[in-house]
Amino acid sequence: SQTIHQWPATLVQPVGSPLSLECTVEGTSNPNLYWYRQAAGRGLQLLFYSVGIGQISSEVPQNLSASRPQDRQFILSSKKLLLSDSGFYLCAWSVKFRNTEAFFGQGTRLTVV
Amino acid sequence: GQSLEQPSEVTAVEGAIVQINCTYQTSGFYGLSWYQQHDGGAPTFLSYNALDGLEETGRFSSFLSRSDSYGYLLLQELQMKDSASYFCAVISTGGFKTIFGAGTRLFVKA
């Protein structure tokens, strides 16, 4: 069966510090991969999606970047965090060419102080 | 641009039926999905509609009208555990992107 791992679960970082969130998927090959951010009590904002290794599409200009160094690994990064980067970050995957259902990781709650 | 509209909150009593509406405006529409999210948890998939009509999965049903750019999620025999946020999501751009609405918070009362 397929599983998705996302870590860490919670993170408190000072303004100006770097960020690296990692997500890995097991049990499937060549998935579509996604990073979403959710502000408290709000919807999910699509940040990045990837249809293959090294292929990253950015949805919203911001202080973040994403990379996909391996087929089932998706990394969200920032060189210098801003207060506005605080939120609940969710990684998700879907079957290639069948994006009807996305499977989410348990999320990382990031607080920038 | 792309946008989805759904009510921010709905309250219903245990055992009742509730309908959560979603209207969307998007390019390259592929289908409409629904997700449930409990506080602090990850969204989980409920239902998907690619064609007009009703899809039924147990106590949950989802409806789509492509001509009206409208869909809804119907929850029957409400239980306390159904208290959660419900999101409609549009799949667009050749099936690669999933854009979520702001979510509807459902409160189920005894």
Side-chain angles (χ1 to χ4, degrees):
Chain A
S1 63
Q2 302 90 0
T3 56
I4 177 168
H5 302 281
Q6 185 182 343
W7 66 93
T10 59
L11 192 59
V12 180
Q13 291 285 98
V15 169
S17 64
L19 173 74
S20 180
L21 301 181
E22 189 163 341
C23 171
T24 59
V25 181
E26 295 178 357
T28 188
S29 297
N30 199 23
N32 289 339
L33 294 172
Y34 307 87
W35 279 110
Y36 289 89
R37 177 170 61 199
Q38 186 175 33
R42 304 291 296 277
L44 285 77
Q45 180 187 32
L46 179 62
L47 302 176
F48 301 94
Y49 70 94
S50 171
V51 298
I53 296 175
Q55 301 178 61
I56 309 295
S57 296
S58 174
E59 287 299 296
V60 181
Q62 59 209 317
N63 186 40
L64 301 168
S65 63
S67 62
R68 185 172 177 172
Q70 300 180 44
D71 180 46
R72 291 170 288 178
Q73 183 185 27
F74 206 22
I75 298 172
L76 183 69
S77 304
S78 173
K79 292 182 179 178
K80 288 186 178 181
L81 283 169
L82 307 172
L83 286 174
S84 57
D85 292 324
S86 294
F88 191 43
Y89 288 82
L90 289 152
C91 179
W93 73 274
S94 66
V95 174
K96 187 60 61 65
F97 304 121
R98 189 178 174 274
N99 190 28
T100 57
E101 178 178 359
F103 302 89
F104 285 83
Q106 289 305 302
T108 296
R109 191 162 302 281
L110 172 66
T111 304
V112 183
V113 296
Chain B
Q2 297 168 323
S3 66
L4 294 94
E5 298 272 344
Q6 51 181 130
S8 58
E9 283 187 11
V10 173
T11 300
V13 297
E14 206 172 6
I17 299 172
V18 71
Q19 178 174 314
I20 299 174
N21 298 320
C22 173
T23 57
Y24 60 87
Q25 187 175 20
T26 184
S27 58
F29 180 84
Y30 201 74
L32 187 72
S33 292
W34 289 91
Y35 289 79
Q36 178 192 62
Q37 185 182 31
H38 287 98
D39 284 347
T44 56
F45 173 81
L46 292 176
S47 185
Y48 172 74
N49 295 73
L51 303 175
D52 287 0
L54 192 69
E55 293 283 341
E56 297 181 69
T57 309
R59 294 189 297 115
F60 298 88
S61 303
S62 58
F63 172 82
L64 175 66
S65 169
R66 295 173 70 111
S67 60
D68 295 323
S69 297
Y70 164 76
Y72 66 73
L73 178 70
L74 193 72
L75 296 85
Q76 303 182 70
E77 301 173 19
L78 280 175
Q79 302 175 10
M80 298 298 288
K81 67 178 182 179
D82 296 330
S83 292
S85 293
Y86 292 84
F87 297 89
C88 59
V90 165
I91 298 142
S92 64
T93 313
F96 295 139
K97 287 168 45 174
T98 302
I99 307 298
F100 284 77
T104 298
R105 179 80 181 202
L106 172 64
F107 297 94
V108 179
K109 295 185 173 180

